[in-house]
Amino acid sequence: MTWAVAVAISGAFSVAAGAALHDRALLTAPIRGIGQLALLRALLRMPLWWLGTLLTMGGIGAHLWALTQAPLVVIQPIGITGLLFAVLLSAGFRRRRPSPAQVLGSLAVSIALAGLLTTVPHSQGPVPGTMGLTEIAVGAGAVMALCVAVGRSCRGALRAGAFALASGVAYAATSAFGRVIGIAALADPAAALQPMTAVAVGIGLTGGLIMQNAYRTDHFALAYATLMLSDPIAATLIGVAYFGERLPTDPAHAAIAAAAAVLGAVGVVTLARASGPQRPARTAQPPRADDLSATSA
């Protein structure tokens, strides 16, 4: 188990470093007056963005391997440790010191997530079929569309939080698809080649693109913390609804979960107030069009 914990910690740091590098790449990417395809093309031409992507993928792979070697209740909370590391690293890339509020807010969110994850009972139930996966995809798509609509109508911290929430839901839905498809592939590797795999990839890529727009708001700490909160919470709700998992029912665990939820909310609010735009000033900016409403390429 020692090796599994060590690998999980390195994976958490790798994911955090990847997110910070994505934020750094977006500091020099064109952020105004372009649509989503143009933004994606610009990012694909940036070695720094590719490095961040590779670190993220490597970190996710390390986390998944650790889950096969140690209990979920041990490994899953470790992924949260990367939040503060990501905030510190992003501040370092910007050559700024993180504020005490950012550090305290990140710690509050991390502790809250650990508390929430350790109180949720982990039971194995039947996996959903095609109809269940379709319902997950439709539900996740509706929530993502609502969050994007809210983000497009807001500015600053609210925009960052709305986009990050949409990404968290997307990643949770992708994980649910991955679990079902992975279990099927263990019995028959050809089961991975099915239409639902393409749906899962589409949801995941959409979530990733929305997250880049959350970083574009220049509220990295808030966006990353919101992602870290919304992903496991959405995954838990999906697990309860479609995988036969249970929420905590005994008074002690319910009280811990409630306290953790309050602490997490306080942490997010603290980060929202502390994480203001820190992008270097630019000159001769074209009219503002830096959100998902810009669809032209």
Side-chain angles (χ1 to χ4, degrees):
M1 184 183 295
T2 302
W3 275 107
V5 171
V7 170
I9 293 174
S10 66
F13 285 178
S14 182
V15 171
L21 285 173
H22 282 167
D23 178 59
R24 174 60 179 171
L26 282 162
L27 286 176
T28 56
I31 65 168
R32 298 179 185 272
I34 66 171
Q36 297 304 297
L37 292 179
L39 171 66
L40 185 59
R41 285 197 296 265
L43 293 175
L44 291 176
R45 291 194 294 267
M46 292 184 175
L48 192 64
W49 186 85
W50 276 108
L51 177 59
T53 300
L54 292 175
L55 284 173
T56 300
M57 294 174 62
I60 293 173
H63 182 77
L64 293 176
W65 179 86
L67 284 174
T68 66
Q69 307 298 313
L72 181 68
V73 294
V74 174
I75 298 301
Q76 195 68 21
I78 292 177
I80 305 162
T81 62
L83 172 58
L84 182 58
F85 179 73
V87 172
L88 295 176
L89 190 58
S90 177
F93 284 154
R94 296 167 180 264
R95 298 181 180 179
R96 299 175 182 268
R97 287 185 177 181
S99 68
Q102 287 179 318
V103 174
L104 292 175
S106 299
L107 287 174
V109 171
S110 299
I111 295 171
L113 270 173
L116 287 172
L117 291 174
T118 54
T119 58
V120 175
H122 300 283
S123 56
Q124 185 69 36
V127 298
T130 302
M131 181 59 68
L133 291 178
T134 302
E135 292 176 358
I136 293 173
V138 172
V143 174
M144 291 164 62
L146 177 61
C147 291
V148 168
V150 171
R152 288 173 55 182
S153 64
C154 300
R155 293 180 181 273
L158 288 177
R159 179 178 300 190
F163 287 165
L165 178 58
S167 297
V169 172
Y171 293 161
T174 303
S175 298
F177 273 75
R179 179 176 174 183
V180 174
I181 296 170
I183 291 175
L186 290 177
D188 179 14
L193 303 176
Q194 57 172 295
M196 285 301 175
T197 301
V199 174
V201 172
I203 294 174
L205 291 178
T206 301
L209 183 58
I210 295 174
M211 196 62 199
Q212 301 307 306
N213 282 272
Y215 294 151
R216 290 170 83 185
T217 65
D218 212 12
H219 289 76
F220 174 78
L222 171 65
Y224 194 67
T226 303
L227 175 67
M228 295 292 288
L229 273 172
S230 58
D231 182 0
I233 291 176
T236 297
L237 295 177
I238 291 173
V240 170
Y242 292 96
F243 290 87
E245 298 179 357
R246 298 177 293 110
L247 291 173
T249 55
D250 62 281
H253 282 168
I256 294 174
V262 172
L263 181 61
V266 171
V268 169
V269 171
T270 301
L271 288 173
R273 292 178 175 178
S275 61
Q278 299 176 4
R279 189 181 302 273
R282 297 171 184 260
T283 58
Q285 292 285 6
R288 182 180 182 88
D290 60 342
D291 56 38
L292 291 177
S293 62
T295 56
S296 62

